[in-house]
Amino acid sequence: MTTGVHPGGQPQDPGQTGNGNLPRQGRVGHEALPEETRTRSAVITARAAASFDPVGRSVATARSFVRDTLQGWGFGDIVDDAVVLTSELVTNAVVHAGTSADVLCLRTEDGVRIEVADRYPEREIPLQATAVNMGSPDREGGRGLQLCAALAAGWGVEYTPTHKQVWFQLDLPDRPVGTRAAGPALPADLLPLADGRVRVAVVQIDRTGAISAWSEDAEELFGYAAEQVIGKPLTDLAAWPHTPGTSTGIAEALQLSRWEGSYGIRDANGRVTPVYASHLRVRDTGGEPSTVCLLVRDHERAVLQTPLRVPSADSATLSEGGQATDPFEVFIGSPAPDDLDGLLQRTVERARDMLDGDSAFLLLATDDETELEVRASTGLPSARQRFARVPVEAGPGRYGSARMPAVHDDLTAVPGAVPLLSGTGMRSVVTVPLKVEGRLTGSLGVAAESPARYSNEEALRLQFAADRIALAVESARLGELERLRRGSLSFLVEASDLLAGTLDRDQTLALMAQMTVPTLATWCAVYTIADQASDPYLSYVLHEDEERIDGLKALLSKISPPDPVPTPGARVWSAPAEAAHEAALRTSMRSLGRGEPATVSSGIGTTLATASAVGGETVVLPLVARNRVIGMLTLGKPTDEHFRQEILELAEDLSRRAALALDNARLYSERMAISQSLQRSLLPPELPVIEGVEVEVIYRAAGEGNEVGGDFYDVFPIRDGAYGFAIGDVCGTGPEAAAVTGLARHALRLLAREGFGGPAVLERLNSAILDEGARSRFLTLLYGELWPQDDGSAVLKIVCAGHPLPLRLRQDGTVEPAAEPQPLLGVMDDLELYEQTVTLDPGDVLLCVTDGVTERREGTRMLGDDGLTDVLTTCTGLTAGAVAARIMRAVERFASDAPSDDMAILAMRVPGLHKD
């Protein structure tokens, strides 16, 4: 219930409120207002609400919320008072009361009412039935209520069982009906320039950032029909002047209650049309928010631009209280932008308006003060000039006069005096330096289309303004550099982690491109060089607009690649832009020759779009690894755009890391190919067909394939009716193990075909391994000879030298070892080995495996011989292939981790005279 009163009113009897212990507070000293005239009961035309957590930073957030809301409503005259009062009341809630604060802004025809509520109703306002002194302003508490009493037209307190709410009313100041701002009558030649018909494009953006409405003037200005753009994000068309890590992006600007400024729109021909825009955030009757954008050509900005509140001559240096006003605030306005781009843009706009110019520009000096970089402009094609660099030269012409004020009466008489204005139609210009502690930090200029427009008086006025803002600009520039350095460091750390996370060449190429687009460039192409005798090859192309990738790839494929120069740093490559321009010109001429309109030609749209995409600056950075050029990284910008030096330096750092990662991927791929080829050479090309015996082998190499394993197998014919088989495991991996593996497999075949029996074959192989000396390796080997019999059985003679024992599966499901263990090879000189004879009856299976199968682990558990036996008992009646497959599935399912050792399975089954 309401317990506060309006100015001058007496508090109600507590007994009448039903809650007599709740005191009330009202402002005193003004005439009481009837209850029916209170703002709460007035017609509310808009409302905005927000809640803030009980933390100190919420006070600043609440101030921003109220400021943005009132400015969006057009209540700029009372913003400062509202922000001050809200700050005090929110401080009371989140700091002193310690609860969250709810802020509600209500707009009426006469003003605004703001309510601040907390959740601490027990913290009462002292009851004052009469006008008394609230205490000293130096008191810790109570100042918020004193400010309400001093600044607000009305205020009060409301209590509920869970909330306490303080509200205040601010009325709009009286001003002439229908007049918001006015200017003096001007001669016709001083009026802003505009086309014969000024078109104001109306574009509505929904809450997702997509275009929901597109007016007829928008179609005329930008060449798109409504059905072509509705539903597409505005970011597809907007050329936003955004620096990575700084300023406000278009997505953030569309979320603000009110925004006004310059950017560009890409028209249907791919060109960027500079526009001046006014954004207003609204919501429909269903509460759905959207943003209405009014757009005009940039040189017609006077149609939309909010008039500046220029202080009068008497108040230019003194405030109402007689205190001196900061000259910086007088020139820039209040509040000053808190980011460098916003500050520079407002600076050039204020400078242009101050000297009644047609355009203005601001350049910042590089760290060595040898070049000036274009950072802000108005009335000029900013998209073309942004971040372009011009040298500071001694002597006449160009920017040799950047260190002192200069006035040019007619630029046509001194061609090239101000390169930034070449081809813009500007005739007269005045430029002044920005200096901090005697150092040149930048240059500010204002230009006009008519000659002899400026004199030394204007130069002094502009220099005075430049002196006021030079320190603030330098401070903001240093802050931006610090943010860029931190962002660059984070970017390089992340890039290094990503590049180190893969050894796949194709994935490395994709990562290189994706890290540069769109962070560093609009498009990217990577050329690779296989060896010093090979030409560069176009390996990867990426554009921020996926629809442009194919056209860009086709264009780059038709021109010669850049020269593989090992010199570090970025160098400009003009071939893509020239080729795109020529292709667009040829396409246009062919279209005109056929008599077809250029806008409906099937190929001209794609060609022009590609030309626009690569028409800006293109740079090439060498990819140098291990003192060899292995490729080139090409970065490009769209039409007439340039790279910042900081971006090029960052790209150079990235290219060094990417080159090493790409070379590592190449070496890894080569090593893997060699290892896989060697591994294949150590295994038999195919298994022989043995009449009366089924044979199946499964081989699984561990790791990623870059190491040659030590496991091997072989099945081969010895003579008519006799076959040899072997399965072994060499200790270790790599080239040494591969050498022993190759020696063993080929020696077994050779010795067996020479007629030696199993023990003799293994004894001679043991001697050959020991002869390798330090390169020798231990070898476990199961070797046997097989003779299929006429009765459907098979006779085997087996020698098991240190290898896991072979297992025999009978038809009744019983499993038993088929041999006895004997010493392994490569350890002792004198071996006394013997062979054992085994007869496989029809339906019997002989299973031979390497230790990668039996030593499969899951934590402390191991499959072992017993586990393998249990699995084999379930394989009765299966073919040899089915037995091997079931064993492999059981091994793989035994543990969730990938196998750490190679595995080989050899299964032989005697089906008998009649196939199962």
Side-chain angles (χ1 to χ4, degrees):
M1 64 182 67
T2 301
T3 60
V5 295
H6 277 266
Q10 296 295 328
Q12 301 172 356
D13 185 352
Q16 298 175 359
T17 67
N19 192 0
N21 63 333
L22 297 180
R24 293 144 293 186
Q25 175 67 43
R27 181 180 174 188
V28 293
H30 288 274
E31 181 180 355
L33 297 178
E35 185 69 21
E36 61 271 13
T37 65
R38 293 185 53 190
T39 304
R40 188 72 177 207
S41 62
V43 177
I44 298 174
T45 59
R47 68 175 64 229
S51 297
F52 304 93
D53 295 331
V55 293
R57 63 176 179 272
S58 293
V59 179
T61 308
R63 287 198 296 265
S64 299
F65 164 70
V66 171
R67 181 181 298 277
D68 291 342
T69 299
L70 297 192
Q71 287 181 340
W73 289 347
F75 289 177
D77 295 324
I78 60 175
V79 163
D80 293 338
D81 289 348
V83 168
V84 170
L85 296 180
T86 303
S87 178
E88 290 294 332
L89 297 180
V90 173
T91 300
N92 290 340
V94 302
V95 176
H96 300 305
T99 74
S100 60
D102 299 326
V103 179
L104 174 64
C105 301
L106 302 173
R107 184 182 70 182
T108 67
E109 297 91 340
D110 301 325
V112 64
R113 170 181 170 129
I114 298 179
E115 302 174 354
V116 180
D118 63 44
R119 293 172 174 79
Y120 192 7
E122 292 82 2
R123 190 171 185 269
E124 302 171 354
I125 302 296
L127 176 63
Q128 298 193 14
T130 59
V132 297
N133 184 9
M134 295 184 183
S136 170
D138 297 329
R139 286 177 50 194
E140 181 65 23
R143 289 180 295 183
L145 300 179
Q146 285 182 296
L147 286 173
C148 287
L151 300 178
W155 67 280
V157 182
E158 299 177 359
Y159 288 95
T160 70
T162 59
H163 290 72
K164 178 178 85 275
Q165 176 179 286
V166 181
W167 60 267
F168 61 86
Q169 164 79 23
L170 293 174
D171 295 335
L172 292 176
D174 294 333
R175 51 192 175 194
V177 176
T179 302
R180 175 66 185 272
L186 294 176
D189 58 342
L190 296 182
L191 296 177
L193 293 175
D195 292 344
R197 175 187 171 186
V198 176
R199 297 186 181 273
V200 180
V202 181
V203 182
Q204 193 155 1
I205 313 299
D206 64 21
R207 69 187 310 162
T208 66
I211 298 172
S212 59
W214 186 264
S215 69
E216 293 182 359
D217 277 358
E219 296 183 14
E220 292 293 329
L221 282 176
F222 310 120
Y224 298 104
E227 57 269 20
Q228 292 180 282
V229 295
I230 289 181
K232 291 186 177 181
L234 180 62
T235 53
D236 287 357
L237 306 179
W240 194 260
H242 178 65
T243 303
T246 63
S247 190
T248 301
I250 186 171
E252 293 83 1
L254 291 175
Q255 297 299 319
L256 298 177
S257 60
R258 176 81 186 198
W259 186 90
E260 185 174 330
S262 299
Y263 52 92
I265 296 291
R266 292 186 178 91
D267 62 21
N269 294 324
R271 294 187 296 270
V272 174
T273 300
V275 297
Y276 190 82
S278 177
H279 296 177
L280 179 64
R281 188 78 164 162
V282 298
R283 60 175 176 168
D284 59 20
T285 54
E288 185 70 11
S290 62
T291 302
V292 178
C293 306
L294 303 182
L295 310 173
V296 297
R297 295 183 181 92
D298 192 72
H299 63 274
E300 297 169 346
R301 62 171 53 225
V303 176
L304 298 181
Q305 190 170 26
T306 302
L308 304 177
R309 292 189 297 172
V310 181
S312 63
D314 295 335
S315 61
T317 56
L318 294 178
S319 64
E320 293 181 359
Q323 298 178 347
T325 303
D326 185 0
F328 171 80
E329 295 292 343
V330 172
F331 179 69
I332 292 297
S334 180
D338 57 0
D339 63 286
L340 179 60
D341 284 342
L343 177 60
L344 298 183
Q345 191 61 36
R346 186 177 292 187
T347 296
V348 295
E349 291 172 358
R350 296 293 193 270
R352 179 201 60 189
D353 296 340
M354 183 179 71
L355 297 188
D356 195 20
D358 297 314
S359 65
F361 53 89
L362 191 147
L363 303 90
L364 292 185
T366 56
D367 292 339
D368 57 6
E369 300 180 10
T370 60
E371 290 182 304
L372 294 173
E373 183 180 62
V374 180
R375 290 302 303 272
S377 64
T378 180
L380 298 174
S382 57
R384 181 188 68 179
Q385 304 292 350
R386 188 169 171 79
F387 300 128
R389 289 195 168 195
V390 293
V392 179
E393 298 179 353
R398 297 184 67 81
Y399 277 89
S401 59
R403 302 181 187 277
M404 58 184 298
V407 176
H408 294 273
D409 290 334
D410 193 348
L411 292 177
T412 59
V414 190
V418 184
L420 181 64
L421 301 179
S422 298
T424 62
M426 300 297 159
R427 298 283 298 276
S428 57
V429 61
V430 53
T431 61
V432 298
L434 276 69
K435 293 185 178 180
V436 175
E437 297 179 350
R439 295 185 301 105
L440 178 68
T441 60
S443 178
L444 176 63
V446 177
E449 295 180 348
S450 57
R453 183 74 167 271
Y454 303 114
S455 63
N456 289 337
E457 181 180 353
E458 282 80 12
L460 292 176
R461 290 177 58 198
L462 189 61
Q463 183 66 71
F464 180 80
D467 293 341
R468 303 287 78 74
I469 58 101
L471 185 60
V473 168
E474 179 67 4
S475 177
R477 185 184 73 87
L478 294 176
E480 180 196 61
L481 287 177
E482 180 63 23
R483 288 191 297 272
L484 286 175
R485 289 190 181 102
R486 292 181 181 180
S488 299
L489 182 60
S490 300
F491 173 79
L492 291 174
V493 169
E494 182 179 0
S496 299
D497 290 342
L498 290 173
L499 292 171
T502 180
L503 287 172
D504 182 82
R505 176 182 177 276
D506 293 337
Q507 189 173 0
T508 302
L509 289 172
L511 284 174
M512 290 170 57
Q514 292 166 6
M515 285 185 293
T516 57
V517 177
T519 304
L520 305 181
T522 305
W523 63 270
C524 166
V526 182
Y527 291 85
T528 56
I529 302 175
D531 52 62
Q532 293 182 354
S534 302
D535 294 328
Y537 174 74
L538 182 62
S539 298
Y540 202 92
V541 175
L542 184 65
H543 192 283
E544 65 179 2
D545 184 353
E546 293 184 359
E547 296 181 355
R548 302 283 178 262
I549 294 178
D550 292 339
L552 178 59
K553 186 181 300 183
L555 176 69
L556 294 177
S557 300
K558 295 177 181 178
I559 62 178
S560 300
D563 296 330
V565 179
T567 305
R571 68 181 192 275
V572 177
W573 185 33
S574 60
E578 294 174 354
H581 177 75
E582 293 176 2
L585 182 60
R586 287 195 301 269
T587 304
S588 300
M589 295 300 294
R590 285 197 300 268
S591 177
L592 294 174
R594 293 196 303 267
E596 298 177 1
T599 56
V600 300
S601 175
S602 58
I604 190 171
T606 303
T607 305
L608 291 177
T610 303
S612 175
V614 302
E617 187 175 42
T618 301
V619 297
V620 178
L621 298 103
L623 298 175
V624 181
R626 299 176 175 90
N627 298 321
R628 187 173 72 88
V629 180
I630 63 171
M632 286 86 69
L633 176 63
T634 304
L635 306 179
K637 288 281 191 178
T639 301
D640 295 330
E641 289 196 18
H642 299 267
F643 285 98
R644 296 189 62 182
Q645 185 63 29
E646 292 82 0
I647 297 298
L648 294 179
E649 293 172 357
L650 182 59
E652 186 178 355
D653 287 338
L654 176 63
S655 67
R656 288 194 291 266
R657 290 164 169 79
L660 187 59
L662 185 61
D663 199 46
N664 288 339
R666 177 187 62 83
L667 294 175
Y668 180 81
S669 298
E670 292 177 356
R671 180 180 177 184
M672 179 177 289
I674 293 172
S675 298
Q676 291 174 345
S677 177
L678 179 57
Q679 186 75 68
R680 288 191 297 269
S681 70
L682 299 178
L683 300 176
E686 59 183 9
L687 298 177
V689 177
I690 303 177
E691 185 69 26
V693 179
E694 298 174 357
V695 180
E696 182 65 29
V697 174
I698 296 179
Y699 182 84
R700 294 284 189 273
E704 299 180 358
N706 60 336
E707 287 283 356
V708 181
D711 290 10
F712 70 96
Y713 66 89
D714 200 1
V715 181
F716 56 91
I718 300 176
R719 52 189 172 272
D720 292 342
Y723 296 87
F725 65 91
I727 184 169
D729 184 3
V730 178
C731 176
T733 58
E736 291 82 1
V740 176
T741 300
L743 172 65
R745 194 172 74 83
H746 294 293
L748 287 175
R749 289 195 173 209
L750 178 63
L751 293 172
R753 289 170 177 171
E754 288 294 323
F756 292 99
V761 169
L762 268 62
E763 288 169 1
R764 284 164 173 76
L765 176 59
N766 180 63
S767 299
I769 294 173
L770 292 175
D771 288 343
E772 293 293 311
R775 296 182 298 175
S776 66
R777 289 289 186 274
F778 303 151
L779 170 64
T780 68
L781 179 64
L782 173 65
Y783 173 74
E785 296 179 357
L786 169 68
W787 288 271
Q789 303 298 308
D790 294 337
D791 60 357
S793 62
V795 176
L796 294 82
K797 293 184 178 181
I798 303 174
V799 181
C800 185
H803 199 77
L805 299 179
L807 298 179
R808 176 182 182 178
L809 171 65
R810 297 182 181 273
Q811 281 189 314
D812 60 2
T814 59
V815 177
E816 61 184 6
E820 296 177 353
Q822 299 184 58
L824 75 165
L825 308 182
V827 179
M828 298 179 293
D829 289 330
D830 297 327
L831 287 180
E832 295 183 0
L833 302 176
Y834 58 92
E835 61 184 9
Q836 296 174 271
T837 302
V838 178
T839 300
L840 294 181
D841 296 326
D844 288 355
V845 175
L846 184 71
L847 177 67
C848 309
V849 300
T850 59
D851 60 3
V853 174
T854 56
E855 295 180 1
R856 177 74 163 144
R857 293 180 179 275
E858 174 69 17
T860 59
R861 298 187 306 121
M862 185 172 71
L863 180 63
D865 296 333
D866 293 338
L868 181 62
T869 300
D870 293 340
V871 177
L872 186 59
T873 58
T874 66
C875 298
T876 304
L878 300 180
T879 64
V883 171
R886 179 170 292 186
I887 297 297
M888 180 57 71
R889 284 198 303 271
V891 173
E892 291 175 342
R893 293 173 180 173
F894 185 79
S896 58
D897 296 338
S900 59
D901 194 4
D902 299 338
M903 294 185 293
I905 299 174
L906 171 62
M908 294 183 292
R909 179 175 180 267
V910 180
L913 294 177
H914 301 286
K915 301 290 184 180
D916 291 346

